[in-house]
Amino acid sequence: MTVDLKARIAELTSLEQAEQLYPARNLPAGAEVVRVAPSPTGMPHIGTAMQSVIDRALADKTNGVFILRIEDTDTARTVPGAVDAIIAGLKWLGTTPDEGYSFGGDYGPYLQSDRLNLYKLAADHLVAKGHAYACFCTPERLEKLREDQSKAKMMPKYDRLCSKLTAEEVTERKAKGERFVIRMRMPKDGEKIRFKDEVRGEIEFDTKVLDDSVLLKGDGFPTYHLAVIVDDHFMRVTTVVRGEEWVSSAPKHVMLYKMFGWEAPKWLHTVLLRDAERRKLSKRSGDTSLAGYRVNGYLPEGLRNFLTRVMWAHPENKDIYDLAEFARLVTPSALPSTGPIADMKLFGFINGHYLASHKPAELRQMFVDYLDYLVSVDRVPESDDEEGGPIVPLETIKKLRAEIAANTEYADHVFALEPERHQKLSDVFRNCGFLFEATYTPATAELMAKHCPDAAMAKGILGKVVAECLDMPDSEAWDKAMRQIAADNGVKDKVVFMLTRVAATGMERTPPLFEIMHMLGKAKLSQRINAAIANAGTSVAA
RNA sequence: GUCCCCAUCGUCUAGAGGCCUAGGACACCCGCCUUUCACGCAGGUAACACGAGUUCGAAUCUCGUUGGGGACGCCA
């Protein structure tokens, strides 16, 4: 950045100067300037991710610009570290902004708390024009007002008490040091405000349902309503992409553009993702932060694909497509106007495709990075069945990480084994954990008994497997020998196979038996099976 | 209480007056493959919220009802 924009803003004395500070952008015709504008009040949410995908796609599609702006105007709710988490989240998702906070650009600063003077000038301008007024009502009075209105089954709305103050009264009360806010003066009742939403079409509101909203707070910070208009205008944003919850305040924003005499951008309100209860995804629906999905083993390209899949239908009915394809084919009017329910099964299906599309060495590296990530954030994936709960302790993850690092070649074999078994990186623990010492759990006597209730026979069978099969050269020989053992004991082949599987892995569900026997090797196999023999029947006999 | 948005299989949707005895995908069920699981392959169950109207003809247009969601802060 060649100029210190923060300093320049502080020096501004009029809105006209601001117009000169931020000249029209030099972009190709049709280029969309879009922004994602999260407030740093917590970990980045899935809704922010959804908007960023649309933003990124729109900017890519039109050779436009995607901006990150941080809306930190609520000083009380600002959470330390949230900004970094937002940036990290967007980078992880692959919807990296072109411009904005920490990305640079000529239309900054991109942190609203660095732009306070601009909002003040804007508010003064509106007051001077008669479109806004100072309000000295105390929070207590307002609360009482709302309470009374609620009791009377009326819509809570400011009663415009201070709009009747004379200029002299205002000057006098300010001089006395009374704390005040600036409110917008909505037009007289009965006027219609229309605007076009890019996905819903024309929407009309009556001004009588619109409140004289606060524009500038008592602490000199702007509210969302003022800040968003001023910033979108001076950042030369062409399309406002934001959540559906903003539709009802959009008329206020349209009115503000009119009051300023500025050209309004296009409006695109995205649907809100719902949980199984059809409510908007929130804390109660589980961890819906970006980091939460990462912790649970979802891939960024999987999340990206899932997010677009539930709010857009591919013209060829495809489920799997990348961001570039989405950007190329999407049109705002094709976006849905009903909030989709986040179907985790569909998410798993899509994510699994991406997982399986990687080569073993890539998968191994992704898994290692995943483990490192878990350690770095000190979190573990949760089981997605009814009971939930962590599926593996952090200590185990650290050991597994070391074990993989010590023998990457072996690990690559593990990841070459039916990668389509995994839908999420965290599924590797359940599907392949037994192939590593860190995550191997020996078979219980009960599990053994399930496949061969006669403990003595089980011991005999497994003893023979250890004695006769492990030195054999290949799967074919194993197969033949194991079937012979079954015949000798008068049991079905399956009994021998399952007993061996359970004894060697501690699991009933595994990749093909001979493949994992080859991988485990003779030493480990005989050790595990012998341990199982020693353990067999212990709790059943007792 | 008021306003705004929305309404096709369990879920995401296709559908812009006749191509719809409503198509696809996920999920589910069944079969094949098979020593388990997964993959794959072959089938199946399953929806136009309701009521009027417009029309020769309505999932598609209009109105109403019902249902769902969102908003109404010196929060965003």
Side-chain angles (χ1 to χ4, degrees):
Chain A
M1 214 187 294
T2 48
V3 286
D4 182 352
L5 288 166
K6 182 178 173 180
R8 294 292 299 277
I9 281 196
E11 293 159 3
L12 255 29
T13 56
S14 75
L15 247 28
E16 287 70 32
Q17 292 173 347
E19 291 291 349
Q20 283 164 21
L21 223 203
Y22 305 111
R25 288 172 184 268
N26 185 19
L27 293 168
E32 296 283 6
V33 179
V34 290
R35 84 296 191 280
V36 66
S39 58
T41 52
M43 293 300 105
H45 187 259
I46 185 81
T48 306
M50 186 171 234
Q51 278 144 243
S52 77
V53 171
I54 298 174
D55 284 323
R56 187 66 272 168
L58 246 35
D60 287 347
K61 186 187 181 71
T62 62
N63 293 310
V65 181
F66 172 31
I67 304 170
L68 169 66
R69 183 171 71 220
I70 304 294
E71 311 220 326
D72 62 337
T73 55
D74 187 344
T75 50
R77 291 206 312 153
T78 296
V79 172
V83 173
D84 290 338
I86 288 164
I87 295 165
L90 292 177
K91 285 182 176 171
W92 175 75
L93 225 208
T95 53
T96 311
D98 304 306
E99 175 181 320
Y101 187 79
S102 89
F103 294 96
D106 297 333
Y107 293 81
Y110 300 92
L111 188 66
Q112 289 185 328
S113 56
D114 285 344
R115 305 165 64 83
L116 263 21
N117 189 40
L118 195 49
Y119 309 124
K120 186 182 177 303
L121 288 174
D124 289 347
H125 176 85
L126 290 183
V127 171
K129 286 236 181 186
H131 292 313
Y133 59 91
C135 168
F136 298 87
C137 292
T138 61
E140 292 71 31
R141 176 178 187 273
L142 296 172
E143 199 179 318
K144 174 82 168 48
L145 184 66
R146 267 194 296 272
E147 215 172 277
D148 293 347
Q149 287 167 330
S150 256
K151 264 186 212 153
K153 304 230 176 214
M154 286 164 60
M155 184 184 96
K157 195 176 166 184
Y158 181 56
D159 62 1
R160 297 183 165 168
L161 181 68
C162 292
S163 72
K164 300 171 189 87
L165 259 28
T166 64
E168 291 71 34
E169 286 172 313
V170 170
T171 314
E172 191 186 314
R173 292 177 75 167
K174 280 186 180 173
K176 278 200 295 188
E178 268 190 66
R179 193 175 156 106
F180 66 97
V181 302
I182 301 295
R183 285 181 184 276
M184 74 183 291
R185 194 191 300 274
M186 286 303 298
K188 287 197 296 285
D189 292 356
E191 209 175 301
K192 303 283 186 202
I193 300 180
R194 284 186 195 83
F195 65 95
K196 185 190 167 207
D197 178 84
E198 294 297 310
V199 342
R200 273 156 268 260
E202 295 280 337
I203 299 177
E204 183 181 277
F205 284 82
D206 197 300
T207 49
K208 74 179 170 204
V209 302
L210 267 17
D211 204 357
D212 277 8
S213 294
V214 172
L215 261 20
L216 208 60
K217 306 182 225 179
D219 63 2
F221 276 69
T223 60
Y224 174 85
H225 302 302
L226 210 219
V228 75
I229 268 67
V230 169
D231 289 346
D232 285 341
H233 173 69
F234 286 113
M235 289 179 187
R236 311 305 181 190
V237 166
T238 60
T239 297
V240 170
V241 177
R242 72 212 317 190
E244 196 179 15
E245 69 268 33
W246 291 108
V247 172
S248 12
S249 353
K252 281 177 198 166
H253 303 157
V254 170
M255 187 51 72
L256 281 169
Y257 274 100
K258 216 180 200 176
M259 289 170 167
F260 279 115
W262 295 338
E263 190 191 342
K266 291 188 273 188
W267 309 97
L268 196 167
H269 294 97
T270 71
V271 289
L272 267 19
L273 221 43
R274 319 274 179 81
D275 61 19
E277 274 72 49
R278 296 187 169 274
R279 302 209 135 255
K280 98 175 150 177
L281 231 44
S282 68
K283 283 274 149 56
R284 281 215 311 275
S285 348
D287 187 349
T288 55
S289 70
L290 231 40
Y293 292 104
R294 188 172 178 185
V295 164
N296 281 315
Y298 291 99
L299 264 27
E301 52 268 51
L303 213 210
R304 234 162 50 199
N305 196 152
F306 172 67
L307 250 17
T308 57
R309 172 65 182 73
V310 296
M311 62 165 168
W312 178 70
H314 190 287
E316 292 162 32
N317 277 327
K318 279 160 75 170
D319 290 317
I320 309 295
Y321 47 82
D322 60 17
L323 186 62
E325 193 167 354
F326 173 69
R328 189 159 44 82
L329 297 171
V330 72
T331 52
S333 61
L335 263 18
S337 38
T338 41
I341 290 166
D343 182 348
M344 297 312 279
K345 293 244 175 82
L346 211 212
F347 193 3
F349 167 79
I350 290 171
N351 202 66
H353 266 272
Y354 286 95
L355 221 40
S357 71
H358 286 95
K359 295 192 173 71
E362 293 170 347
L363 256 184
R364 184 209 74 225
Q365 190 55 50
M366 286 161 67
F367 188 67
V368 166
D369 292 344
Y370 171 60
L371 297 184
D372 285 340
Y373 173 73
L374 292 178
V375 172
S376 76
V377 295
D378 192 20
R379 293 181 60 182
V380 297
E382 306 266 323
S383 163
D384 39 27
D385 56 26
E386 292 285 309
E387 307 90 60
I391 61 176
V392 58
L394 205 59
E395 274 315 302
T396 304
I397 288 173
K398 288 178 185 168
K399 282 184 199 154
L400 179 60
R401 171 71 178 81
E403 195 178 335
I404 293 175
N407 195 345
T408 54
E409 204 183 324
Y410 175 77
D412 285 353
H413 285 300
V414 173
F415 286 100
L417 266 182
E418 302 186 339
E420 64 277 3
R421 304 171 73 78
H422 319 302
Q423 292 202 320
K424 313 191 291 290
L425 287 169
S426 53
D427 291 343
V428 171
F429 295 114
R430 184 193 59 217
N431 293 336
C432 292
F434 65 89
L435 288 165
F436 298 102
E437 287 310 301
T439 40
Y440 166 63
T441 317
T444 61
E446 285 80 4
L447 194 55
M448 303 276 290
K450 183 175 164 191
H451 295 281
C452 181
D454 183 339
M457 182 188 277
K459 286 169 192 258
I461 289 172
L462 289 174
K464 281 216 148 201
V465 169
V466 172
E468 295 176 7
C469 300
L470 301 190
D471 281 321
M472 289 184 170
D474 55 41
S475 307
E476 252 175 72
W478 277 350
D479 186 67
K480 204 175 160 202
M482 287 172 82
R483 288 181 196 279
Q484 185 58 49
I485 293 171
D488 293 346
N489 283 273
V491 295
K492 287 183 179 166
D493 297 344
K494 186 175 172 177
V495 172
V496 177
F497 287 119
M498 283 309 289
L499 218 38
T500 307
R501 181 192 310 279
V502 167
T505 68
M507 310 266 301
E508 290 180 285
R509 304 170 166 196
T510 78
L513 184 58
F514 295 136
E515 287 187 50
I516 59 179
M517 284 174 74
H518 276 296
M519 287 187 57
L520 255 10
K522 186 188 170 183
K524 212 174 265 183
L525 271 177
S526 57
Q527 183 200 326
R528 287 187 181 185
I529 297 175
N530 282 327
I533 292 171
N535 192 35
T538 46
S539 59
V540 177

